Amino acid sequence: MDILDIDDLHVAYGGIQALRGVSLRIAPGETVMVTGPNGAGKSTLMKALAGLVKPRQGRILMGGRTVIGQPPERIASMGLSMVPEGRHVFGSMSVLENLRVGCGLRRDKQRVEADLEHLLDVFPMLRDRAHAQAGLLSGGQQQMLVIARALMTRPQLLAIDEPSLGLAPKVTDQVYESLLRIQAERELSLLIVEQSSARVVMMGARMVMLRSGRVVLEGRAKDLSPNAIQQAYFGL
């Protein structure tokens, strides 16, 4: 069974149609990267998945259970953890306190401590700054923190909106390397919104390109020609 099954999704803001019949499936352990120009509907797709906007039409299933109409905390309990755009850390709290926020719904306290130690190994910078205020971290450090905090929920699907936004290429490389390590160890499914189609090609993931609220290109990034990607991106 697919971890995520989105079928014929339509979302509108007033008279503006943001998504027009988007369908998407993610298998266990798979990485899918959604790309496209500004205004393509990428962030709207993530908000619909997280229960922050209500679709006009279509369905979203997580492990066979319906997502539409469920509150965000119920969707999280189905196995989804969302990292929104903007690095929303609790600035006055320490790095460790931020990480512990991510396990608030968990009852397996012994495993929580093991997961915390493991994530501090994956993101050694967080161990080095464990007692520092999160608001004083650099942009790249904050991005690693919010990803690690999301992973503390032990999700089946981690959805990340623009993880490389505002980061230097070297820092972006570090973020993606950490994600791939965690994915391999946990058989984690990843849904990543990424503005850079070049980054998607580097990852070798399945690409889903949106434009004007529609899927205009889909396939393994390595199998798609640069010309096809460029034409779909610019609507040629």
Side-chain angles (χ1 to χ4, degrees):
M1 178 183 293
D2 290 327
I3 290 293
L4 180 67
D5 183 355
I6 299 174
D7 184 52
D8 193 30
L9 198 66
H10 294 254
V11 176
Y13 301 107
I16 300 174
Q17 196 76 16
L19 294 179
R20 307 166 185 263
V22 170
S23 296
L24 170 65
R25 288 168 178 79
I26 301 179
E30 185 180 19
T31 298
V32 174
M33 300 183 73
V34 179
T35 189
N38 291 332
K42 304 184 298 295
S43 291
T44 297
L45 176 64
M46 300 292 262
K47 290 176 182 177
L49 176 58
L52 300 178
V53 297
K54 186 175 181 180
R56 285 187 173 181
Q57 180 181 323
R59 70 174 186 176
I60 305 176
L61 302 178
M62 277 281 300
R65 294 178 290 176
T66 187
V67 166
I68 295 174
Q70 302 290 344
E73 60 271 19
R74 173 62 178 161
I75 298 172
S77 73
M78 294 178 185
L80 171 71
S81 193
M82 180 75 68
V83 179
E85 180 185 341
R87 304 175 200 130
H88 299 282
V89 302
F90 298 103
S92 62
M93 295 168 59
S94 72
V95 166
L96 276 180
E97 288 169 336
N98 269 266
L99 290 172
R100 292 190 182 280
V101 168
C103 57
L105 297 177
R106 293 180 59 176
R107 298 178 181 178
D108 52 341
K109 298 304 180 184
Q110 289 185 338
R111 197 173 183 182
V112 162
E113 294 305 313
D115 284 349
L116 177 60
E117 283 300 310
H118 180 233
L119 288 170
L120 291 176
D121 287 340
V122 175
F123 299 96
M125 175 281 307
L126 298 182
R127 186 184 295 278
D128 294 341
R129 305 295 304 277
H131 300 290
Q133 283 190 352
L136 300 180
L137 301 181
S138 69
Q141 292 169 339
Q142 289 188 13
Q143 187 64 277
M144 294 178 191
L145 175 57
V146 294
I147 289 173
R149 186 177 66 195
L151 288 166
M152 281 298 295
T153 68
R154 269 269 165 184
Q156 294 176 294
L157 173 63
L158 180 64
I160 312 176
D161 196 353
E162 297 278 15
S164 62
L165 186 66
L167 301 184
K170 184 177 180 180
V171 178
T172 300
D173 290 342
Q174 293 172 348
V175 169
Y176 274 107
E177 286 168 6
S178 300
L179 280 172
L180 291 176
R181 175 180 169 182
I182 289 287
Q183 182 188 33
E185 293 170 345
R186 294 189 180 181
E187 198 183 16
L188 177 70
S189 298
L190 294 174
L191 174 63
I192 303 175
V193 167
E194 176 57 71
Q195 183 76 23
S196 169
S197 57
R199 174 63 61 174
V200 181
V201 173
M202 288 172 59
M203 285 283 289
R206 179 154 62 90
M207 174 190 288
V208 176
M209 185 175 291
L210 297 182
R211 183 175 179 82
S212 301
R214 294 187 175 91
V215 176
V216 294
L217 185 68
E218 182 174 0
R220 300 291 299 180
K222 64 181 181 180
D223 298 329
L224 300 172
S225 71
N227 187 50
I229 293 173
Q230 185 178 42
Q231 287 185 342
Y233 191 93
F234 293 104
L236 300 176

